Amino acid sequence: MLTDLCRLKALGKDVKVFPLAKIVNPEVVEIGDGTQIDDFIFIYGGQGVKIGRLNHFASFTSVIGGGELVTEDYVGIATGCRLITGTHHYGEGQRISPLIPPEEQCVIRGKIVLEKDVFLGANVIVHPNVTIGEGAIVGSGGIVLKDIEPWTINVGAPVRVVGTRPRVRER
């Protein structure tokens, strides 16, 4: 695994990547200081992955789809989350399969941004072209299809705001 980490675009200090984590296209992946990526994580680099400082990616989380992911500092991602940066769409009658010629497919690739202090509960699914605002929480099993306002608590499928949380006190 050490050789794979050497191929990363950038690797911060005190980063812990467990040996059973899988990073595909590591040359477009940046990992910030103090971040931990547990076993059984799958990250597909796609158009780029930039992980901030002191993030935690819990087991069985995946980053898939070939788009772009940016997480700012202090982001927590609980077990089983799916960060989908790209997906197939039926478009104008295209087929929905990655195994057919590209001209017969309609693929939507985008960017997911998790701003500072975001927390995703277990098994949250985030779709392409979504920004989750600073300090927002998404409860377990939430499905995120559109942007989420900062410092809100969101649950459901699709998610809806059910409350707010206090801002983090800077030290």
Side-chain angles (χ1 to χ4, degrees), residues 22-29 41-50 57 61-69 83-86 109:
K22 175 77 172 171
I23 301 174
V24 176
N25 294 348
E27 62 277 358
V28 299
V29 175
I41 299 291
F42 180 84
I43 297 174
Y44 173 53
Q47 296 172 344
V49 172
K50 185 173 184 180
F57 281 55
T61 290
S62 58
V63 177
I64 57 173
E68 184 179 358
L69 171 67
L83 305 176
I84 304 169
T85 63
R109 285 203 176 82

Side-chain angles (χ1 to χ4, degrees), residues 11 39 48 50 54 56 64 80 84 100 107 113-114 166-167 170:
L11 179 64
D39 277 332
K50 185 173 184 180
L54 298 167
H56 178 235
I64 57 173
I84 304 169
I100 58 175
V107 177
V113 177
L114 306 180
R167 292 182 179 269
E170 297 294 335

Side-chain angles (χ1 to χ4, degrees), residues 3-139:
T3 29
D4 288 343
L5 292 180
C6 293
R7 294 178 41 220
L8 291 171
K9 182 175 181 182
L11 179 64
K13 297 176 185 172
D14 301 319
V15 170
K16 185 166 188 177
V17 178
F18 281 74
L20 297 178
K22 175 77 172 171
I23 301 174
V24 176
N25 294 348
E27 62 277 358
V28 299
V29 175
E30 303 174 49
I31 303 175
D33 295 345
T35 287
Q36 179 174 310
I37 298 175
D38 292 349
D39 277 332
F40 311 113
I41 299 291
F42 180 84
I43 297 174
Y44 173 53
Q47 296 172 344
V49 172
K50 185 173 184 180
I51 299 169
R53 296 179 308 118
L54 298 167
N55 279 217
H56 178 235
F57 281 55
S59 295
F60 304 106
T61 290
S62 58
V63 177
I64 57 173
E68 184 179 358
L69 171 67
V70 174
T71 70
E72 295 181 4
D73 298 341
Y74 315 111
V75 170
I77 300 174
T79 189
C81 289
R82 303 289 177 253
L83 305 176
I84 304 169
T85 63
T87 188
H88 281 83
H89 189 273
Y90 58 84
E92 299 295 321
Q94 283 92 344
R95 292 193 165 89
I96 302 175
S97 171
L99 302 177
I100 58 175
E103 62 275 6
E104 294 182 37
Q105 299 180 44
C106 179
V107 177
I108 299 168
R109 285 203 176 82
K111 182 176 185 178
I112 294 174
V113 177
L114 306 180
E115 293 182 350
K116 184 177 173 184
D117 291 305
V118 162
F119 179 78
L120 304 181
N123 299 311
V124 166
I125 300 170
V126 181
H127 283 260
N129 298 312
V130 166
T131 295
I132 299 180
E134 180 177 349
I137 295 172
V138 180

